[in-house]
Coordinates of all heavy atoms in Angstrom, one line a residue:
T1 N 105.6 108.7 112.4 CA 104.8 109.9 112.7 C 103.4 109.5 113.2 O 103.0 108.4 113.0 CB 104.6 110.8 111.5 OG1 103.7 110.2 110.6 CG2 105.9 111.1 110.8
P2 N 102.7 110.4 113.9 CA 101.4 110.1 114.4 C 100.5 109.6 113.2 O 99.5 108.9 113.4 CB 100.9 111.4 115.0 CG 102.1 112.0 115.5 CD 103.2 111.7 114.4
G3 N 100.7 110.1 112.0 CA 99.9 109.7 110.9 C 100.1 108.2 110.5 O 99.3 107.7 109.7
D4 N 101.1 107.6 111.1 CA 101.3 106.2 110.8 C 100.5 105.3 111.8 O 100.5 104.1 111.6 CB 102.8 105.8 110.9 CG 103.6 106.5 109.8 OD1 103.2 106.5 108.6 OD2 104.7 107.1 110.2
T5 N 99.9 105.9 112.7 CA 99.1 105.1 113.7 C 97.9 104.4 113.0 O 97.1 105.0 112.3 CB 98.5 106.0 114.8 OG1 99.6 106.6 115.6 CG2 97.6 105.3 115.7
A6 N 97.9 103.1 113.2 CA 96.9 102.3 112.5 C 97.0 100.8 112.9 O 98.0 100.5 113.5 CB 97.1 102.4 110.9
V7 N 96.1 100.1 112.5 CA 96.2 98.6 112.5 C 96.8 98.2 111.2 O 96.3 98.5 110.1 CB 94.9 97.9 112.8 CG1 95.0 96.4 112.7 CG2 94.3 98.3 114.1
Y8 N 97.9 97.4 111.3 CA 98.6 97.0 110.1 C 98.3 95.6 109.8 O 98.4 94.7 110.7 CB 100.1 97.2 110.2 CG 100.5 98.6 110.1 CD1 100.2 99.6 111.1 CD2 101.2 99.1 109.0 CE1 100.6 100.9 111.0 CE2 101.6 100.4 108.9 CZ 101.3 101.3 109.9 OH 101.6 102.6 109.7
Y9 N 97.9 95.3 108.5 CA 97.5 94.0 108.1 C 98.4 93.5 107.0 O 98.8 94.3 106.1 CB 96.1 94.0 107.5 CG 95.0 94.4 108.5 CD1 94.7 95.8 108.6 CD2 94.3 93.5 109.2 CE1 93.7 96.2 109.4 CE2 93.3 93.9 110.1 CZ 93.0 95.3 110.2 OH 92.0 95.7 111.0
C10 N 98.8 92.2 107.1 CA 99.6 91.7 105.9 C 98.6 90.8 105.1 O 97.6 90.4 105.5 CB 100.8 90.9 106.4 SG 100.3 89.3 107.1
N11 N 99.0 90.7 103.8 CA 98.2 89.8 103.0 C 99.2 89.1 102.0 O 100.3 89.5 101.8 CB 97.2 90.6 102.2 CG 97.7 91.3 100.9 OD1 98.7 92.0 101.0 ND2 97.1 91.1 99.8
A12 N 98.7 88.0 101.5 CA 99.6 87.2 100.7 C 98.8 86.4 99.7 O 97.6 86.0 100.0 CB 100.4 86.2 101.5
Y13 N 99.3 86.3 98.5 CA 98.7 85.5 97.4 C 99.4 84.1 97.5 O 100.5 84.0 97.1 CB 98.8 86.1 96.1 CG 97.9 87.3 95.9 CD1 98.4 88.6 96.3 CD2 96.7 87.2 95.3 CE1 97.6 89.7 96.1 CE2 95.9 88.3 95.2 CZ 96.3 89.5 95.6 OH 95.5 90.7 95.4
V14 N 98.6 83.1 97.9 CA 99.2 81.8 98.3 C 98.7 80.7 97.3 O 97.5 80.6 97.1 CB 98.9 81.4 99.7 CG1 99.5 80.0 100.0 CG2 99.4 82.4 100.7
M15 N 99.7 80.0 96.8 CA 99.3 78.8 95.9 C 99.2 77.6 96.9 O 100.1 77.3 97.7 CB 100.4 78.5 94.9 CG 100.5 79.6 93.8 SD 99.0 79.5 92.8 CE 99.1 77.9 92.1
T16 N 98.0 77.0 96.8 CA 97.7 75.8 97.6 C 97.4 74.6 96.7 O 96.8 74.8 95.6 CB 96.5 76.1 98.5 OG1 96.8 77.2 99.3 CG2 96.1 74.9 99.3
V17 N 97.8 73.5 97.1 CA 97.5 72.3 96.3 C 96.4 71.6 97.0 O 96.4 71.2 98.2 CB 98.7 71.3 96.2 CG1 98.4 70.1 95.5 CG2 99.9 72.1 95.6
S18 N 95.3 71.3 96.2 CA 94.1 70.6 96.7 C 93.9 69.4 95.8 O 94.5 69.2 94.8 CB 92.9 71.5 96.7 OG 92.5 71.7 95.3
P19 N 93.0 68.5 96.3 CA 92.7 67.3 95.4 C 92.2 67.7 94.0 O 92.4 66.9 93.1 CB 91.6 66.6 96.3 CG 91.8 67.0 97.7 CD 92.3 68.4 97.6
A20 N 91.6 68.9 93.9 CA 91.1 69.4 92.6 C 92.2 70.0 91.8 O 92.0 70.4 90.7 CB 90.0 70.3 92.8
G21 N 93.4 70.2 92.4 CA 94.5 70.8 91.7 C 95.0 72.1 92.4 O 94.4 72.5 93.4
P22 N 96.0 72.7 91.9 CA 96.6 73.9 92.6 C 95.7 75.1 92.3 O 95.0 75.2 91.2 CB 97.9 74.1 91.9 CG 97.8 73.5 90.6 CD 96.8 72.3 90.7
Y23 N 95.6 76.0 93.3 CA 94.8 77.3 93.1 C 95.5 78.3 93.9 O 96.1 78.1 94.9 CB 93.4 77.1 93.4 CG 93.1 76.9 94.9 CD1 92.8 77.9 95.7 CD2 93.1 75.6 95.4 CE1 92.5 77.7 97.1 CE2 92.9 75.4 96.7 CZ 92.6 76.4 97.6 OH 92.3 76.2 98.9
E24 N 95.3 79.6 93.5 CA 95.8 80.7 94.3 C 94.6 81.4 95.0 O 93.6 81.6 94.4 CB 96.5 81.7 93.3 CG 97.1 82.9 94.1 CD 97.7 83.9 93.1 OE1 97.0 84.6 92.4 OE2 99.0 84.0 93.1

């Protein structure tokens, strides 16, 4: 519907491994 008109964004909670250890 016209009410759905918008910019749509995705997001994600990502686990990354760094030299300091894993973090989200």
